[in-house]
Amino acid sequence: MGAIDRLNARVAASPVGRRFRLQGSGVARERQTTFFTEFRAGIATFVTMAYIISVNATILTESGGTCDCIGGPNVCLADPVYQECLSELKKDFITATSAISLIGCIAMGLVADLPIAIAPSLGLNAYFVYQVVGFHGTGKVRFETALAAVFLEGIIFLLLSALGLRQLLTKAIPMSIKVATSAGIGLFLTFIGLQNSAGIGLVSGNGATLVGLGGCPPWAKNIDTNHCEGHTMEGPTTWLGILGFLIIAILMSFRVKGAILLSILFISIISWFRGTNVTYFPYTDVGDAAFDYFKGVVAIPKIRMIAGSLDFDLGNKDVWIALVTFLYVDILDATGTMFSMAKYAGLMDEDGDFEGSYAAFLIDAFTVTISGPLGSSPATAYIESGAGIAEGGRTGLTAITTGLFFILSLFFAPIFASFPPWATGPALIMVGVLMAQTAFAAVNWNYLPDAIPAFLTIALMPLTYSIAYGLIAGIGSYLIINTVVLLLRKASKDKLRPANFDEKEVWGPKRKEDLYPLWVKHLLGKRAKKPNDAIRSVDTHDDQPVEEIKIDVERGEKSK
């Protein structure tokens, strides 16, 4: 027996092994995993999702946070004092991102015993910045009020989860709209990653066509509009960003774990050398200050400017639109992610639920609640948890290990704060690819009353720069089109039917019992035992026919 085997055996025999039901712990329903496997899985999850620390901070800094921008973004961004404020703000966002992630991951592992990681949501952070608060405060809601909306959304989310209504709400949304939401958010993130402020600068504004090809050097941009006025595709940082994307694409094609983080590190290291055309530390006052902070490598984690900055001035209707949008996306995104990860880990039961789901929903909602007070947009469960599950992670020890590495990241803020946007932009583009990969195929394109609302949802999210407007267009058009179709069918006694009506998607609860939250089912005894429940409790062999098992159960005997 090697050292690792001895360690696994020792931990399995300890209270930790029994608590997390490790292999060899002797408890019922062991998860068939070891301590070292869980530790390795937690590292895999962290490496895969560590990019969120810098990417989330970069996007949230675009809001301007608590820095005062007077005269509009073009004036502010040329002000050294404002730039210095943004540098401090980004440090706060990095600390907040790591803090929220570590709390969510460790709580998920300890309470729910699931290998699912939690961190601030990509997609909702973009909506928070570019639609709610606006680019450097140009939106209709102040930064502090938006944080209050996140906090209130978390409270509502927590109540819905506690009452068991969360899953019910997901069943009330048409499947085509659900999958289209994921695809639309993916395109939204890709659009952001292609732009200059938080991406590689490949796409630029254009006075005639709204958008056009960018990639020009800084000196070729219009001072007032920041649009390229020629010399497109001559910017060195754009080409460096394209290289970063190609690195991610190739590495992920071969399933290299941590591909996104490896690309960000490679491009960032190139950009950290001073005196080059792609340096992130130019010889300016702002560049010198950023370089001095970067050289510190390790710093004591602090949140100076954004923690507790909540303003409950909720008289603006746009605040409530943002709150409802946060809630809607959180319900669909987080719930869907947790179910898919539980299924991937083999933890789903016959009723379509998974062990620890109630606690997991509460922890997820709790993490959203603390996001606002810590100064960030809402958190959510991460699909990157699949990397750890693929490594064998089956218990909460995987999530706890991921959380411990987020604790370490708190002390390396100078490194994470120095990732340039052309290094993190490719990550946004690739995340968009991954979100759209399965979503486009899942849309029911064969039946137009399903396909049209889905298409509007997908198209309008990036084109209006708003998740909310895409959802309004999708849900609104779905209700109008399908209501008219229903009325025409009723009036014609089902003689008028749209083309391909037989391919219409079926959604919603399949039986009335599905409308009850889990706690109501248990309380009212709605979960009646199925006749074959006894069969599932019998130890079976793969080569033993089910018919034989039924006969043995009826005889009161156990198959050998």
Side-chain angles (χ1 to χ4, degrees):
M1 180 182 291
I4 293 178
D5 292 332
R6 289 195 297 271
L7 174 64
N8 288 334
R10 187 172 300 175
V11 175
S14 70
V16 173
R18 292 190 291 272
R19 166 65 179 82
F20 294 99
R21 290 178 288 171
L22 298 178
Q23 183 177 343
S25 61
V27 300
R29 294 174 301 167
E30 291 181 358
R31 293 274 178 95
Q32 301 304 312
T33 183
T34 64
F35 173 75
F36 187 76
T37 299
E38 294 294 302
F39 181 74
R40 187 182 64 217
I43 295 175
T45 299
F46 175 78
V47 170
T48 306
M49 65 181 291
Y51 69 88
I52 188 59
I53 301 173
S54 57
V55 173
N56 187 58
T58 299
I59 292 177
L60 291 179
T61 303
E62 297 280 284
S63 69
T66 54
C67 299
D68 293 325
C69 179
I70 302 174
N74 291 331
V75 175
C76 295
L77 293 175
D79 183 2
V81 176
Y82 185 73
Q83 286 284 1
E84 185 177 349
C85 181
L86 291 182
S87 296
E88 294 298 317
L89 182 69
K90 187 175 182 180
K91 299 172 190 176
D92 277 12
F93 283 132
I94 285 173
T95 303
T97 302
S98 295
I100 292 167
S101 302
L102 74 89
I103 293 172
C105 290
I106 292 178
M108 181 66 74
L110 284 176
V111 180
D113 192 17
L114 290 170
I116 299 175
I118 294 180
S121 168
L122 270 179
L124 282 183
N125 58 0
Y127 174 70
F128 177 94
V129 171
Y130 300 110
Q131 183 62 31
V132 181
V133 180
F135 183 63
H136 293 281
T138 56
K140 298 179 180 179
V141 180
R142 295 179 63 248
F143 175 78
E144 294 84 352
T145 308
L147 291 182
V150 172
F151 173 71
L152 290 178
E153 182 253 330
I155 296 295
I156 297 172
F157 199 24
L158 190 60
L159 290 174
L160 291 175
S161 300
L163 294 174
L165 300 176
R166 177 171 170 175
Q167 291 167 260
L168 177 61
L169 290 176
T170 64
K171 296 174 183 177
I173 305 297
M175 181 58 66
S176 59
I177 301 297
K178 292 179 186 177
V179 296
T181 299
S182 178
I185 292 174
L187 289 180
F188 187 25
L189 291 175
T190 297
F191 193 34
I192 294 170
L194 290 171
Q195 295 179 60
N196 184 69
S197 58
I200 65 177
L202 185 62
V203 173
S204 174
N206 186 293
T209 60
L210 297 182
V211 294
L213 186 64
C216 59
W219 52 264
K221 295 178 181 178
N222 184 288
I223 298 177
D224 296 324
T225 63
N226 206 35
H227 297 171
C228 288
E229 295 184 335
H231 299 278
T232 57
M233 298 306 295
E234 294 181 13
T237 56
T238 295
W239 284 106
L240 196 57
I242 293 173
L243 174 62
F245 176 75
L246 292 175
I247 291 173
I248 295 175
I250 293 171
L251 291 179
M252 291 192 72
S253 297
F254 288 93
R255 297 187 177 181
V256 176
K257 290 180 174 59
I260 292 178
L261 181 62
L262 289 174
S263 172
I264 291 176
L265 287 172
F266 178 74
I267 300 301
S268 296
I269 290 172
I270 295 175
S271 305
W272 288 338
F273 291 97
R274 307 192 78 178
T276 68
N277 290 331
V278 295
T279 183
Y280 190 54
F281 305 116
Y283 288 107
T284 62
D285 292 339
V286 174
D288 291 340
F291 188 66
D292 289 339
Y293 179 67
F294 166 73
K295 289 188 296 184
V297 180
V298 177
I300 302 299
K302 296 178 182 178
I303 305 180
R304 300 179 179 87
M305 302 171 61
I306 57 175
S309 300
L310 305 181
D311 182 0
F312 291 92
D313 181 12
L314 307 177
N316 187 344
K317 66 178 179 62
D318 292 285
V319 175
W320 294 100
I321 293 175
L323 189 152
V324 172
T325 302
F326 288 146
L327 183 62
Y328 171 87
V329 176
D330 265 332
I331 287 174
L332 291 187
D333 186 23
T335 307
T337 297
M338 281 196 277
F339 270 98
S340 62
M341 289 300 98
K343 183 177 181 180
Y344 186 32
L347 301 176
M348 295 286 285
D349 60 23
E350 295 86 351
D351 296 324
D353 196 11
F354 60 92
E355 188 176 356
S357 62
Y358 185 74
F361 293 153
L362 290 177
I363 293 301
D364 174 52
F366 166 73
T367 311
V368 174
T369 304
I370 65 172
S371 297
L374 286 176
S376 176
S377 52
T380 188
Y382 258 63
I383 199 71
E384 282 81 359
S385 304
I389 295 173
E391 286 290 325
R394 294 294 182 272
T395 77
L397 287 175
T398 295
I400 292 172
T401 301
T402 303
L404 293 177
F405 276 89
F406 273 113
I407 292 177
L408 292 178
S409 71
L410 281 171
F411 297 93
F412 292 94
I415 302 296
F416 288 101
S418 301
F419 290 157
W422 54 86
T424 56
L428 292 176
I429 300 172
M430 182 53 68
V431 170
V433 172
L434 297 176
M435 292 183 71
Q437 187 178 29
T438 56
F440 276 105
V443 173
N444 182 21
W445 299 111
N446 296 325
Y447 183 64
L448 282 179
D450 289 338
I452 292 171
F455 177 79
L456 291 176
T457 302
I458 294 170
L460 289 181
M461 282 188 185
L463 294 180
T464 62
Y465 232 66
S466 171
I467 296 174
Y469 293 157
L471 292 175
I472 291 171
I475 295 174
S477 62
Y478 188 95
L479 291 174
I480 294 172
I481 294 172
N482 284 279
T483 299
V484 172
V485 168
L486 178 63
L487 292 176
L488 290 176
R489 284 181 55 217
K490 295 293 185 183
S492 65
K493 296 183 179 180
D494 212 25
K495 293 180 180 179
L496 282 177
R497 283 188 172 192
N500 299 328
F501 179 77
D502 293 338
E503 297 188 51
K504 172 180 172 60
E505 68 178 10
V506 179
W507 57 278
K510 296 181 180 179
R511 50 184 182 170
K512 68 176 184 178
E513 286 81 5
D514 293 337
L515 294 172
Y516 296 113
L518 288 177
W519 64 272
V520 174
K521 291 180 182 179
H522 289 296
L523 183 65
L524 301 180
K526 293 295 182 180
R527 301 185 72 180
K529 263 201 166 187
K530 299 178 182 178
N532 61 346
D533 274 353
I535 299 173
R536 287 196 294 268
S537 66
V538 177
D539 295 328
T540 64
H541 297 286
D542 292 338
D543 58 348
Q544 187 177 14
V546 176
E547 289 79 6
E548 293 182 13
I549 302 171
K550 289 182 179 179
I551 293 172
D552 289 342
V553 172
E554 289 171 0
R555 292 174 180 171
E557 300 175 356
K558 183 175 178 180
S559 299
K560 301 296 183 183

